[in-house]
Amino acid sequence: VVFGFRPQEYMLNGIGVLHGGVAAAIFDTAVGCACLTVVPHEKVAVTMDLHVRYFKPLTMKSGSSRCEGTIIHAGRATVSAEGRLFDAAGRLCGHATSTLALVDFTPTR
C-alpha cells in the first residue's frame, strides 16, 4: 500500500520538521491498510505495537513524500508489516515495523 502526502505547516514540530507523531500515524495507517489486504472480511487488524525509526527529517521543502506499507508475515492471529517513508528525492527518511492482531468484527449498525 502506498500513501502520498506533502508535509504541511500544521504537521511540523517546533523546529520545522515533520512531527514524529504525524509520521507514526502515517506509518500506522500504511501498515494497517497493507494488512487489511490479507485479512478475512469478518476480521479487522488492530495495532499491537509500532516501532518507528527516523533517519532524515521531512520538511515542507521535502516535497511530495510517500509511505509504503508491506506485509512481512500473515498468520491466523497476527500480521506483521513494515513501512518505509521516503522524501520526493526517493531518500529513505524513516522505517517502521508493526504487529497487528486479527480480531472478529461485527458492525454495530
Side-chain angles (χ1 to χ4, degrees), residues 3-109:
F3 281 92
F5 70 99
R6 183 178 292 272
Q8 302 294 312
E9 188 173 357
Y10 72 91
M11 298 174 175
L12 307 180
N13 62 20
I15 61 171
V17 301
L18 186 72
H19 190 285
V22 172
I26 293 168
F27 276 126
D28 192 42
T29 303
V31 299
C33 288
C35 290
L36 290 177
T37 66
V38 298
V39 173
H41 72 279
E42 70 277 1
K43 300 220 180 240
V44 293
V46 295
T47 304
M48 294 173 56
D49 64 42
L50 179 68
H51 183 157
V52 178
R53 295 159 207 85
Y54 304 104
F55 304 131
K56 295 184 184 315
L58 287 173
T59 67
M60 288 178 56
K61 293 180 181 178
S62 297
S64 295
S65 303
R66 73 182 191 281
C67 186
E68 301 175 356
T70 308
I71 295 169
I72 298 170
H73 173 73
R76 289 182 298 167
T78 63
V79 178
S80 294
E82 68 177 345
R84 294 176 188 266
L85 185 62
F86 299 93
D87 64 11
R91 292 180 293 245
L92 181 64
C93 297
H95 180 262
T97 54
S98 183
T99 302
L100 295 91
L102 303 182
V103 297
D104 290 330
F105 175 70
T106 305
T108 56
R109 295 182 198 196

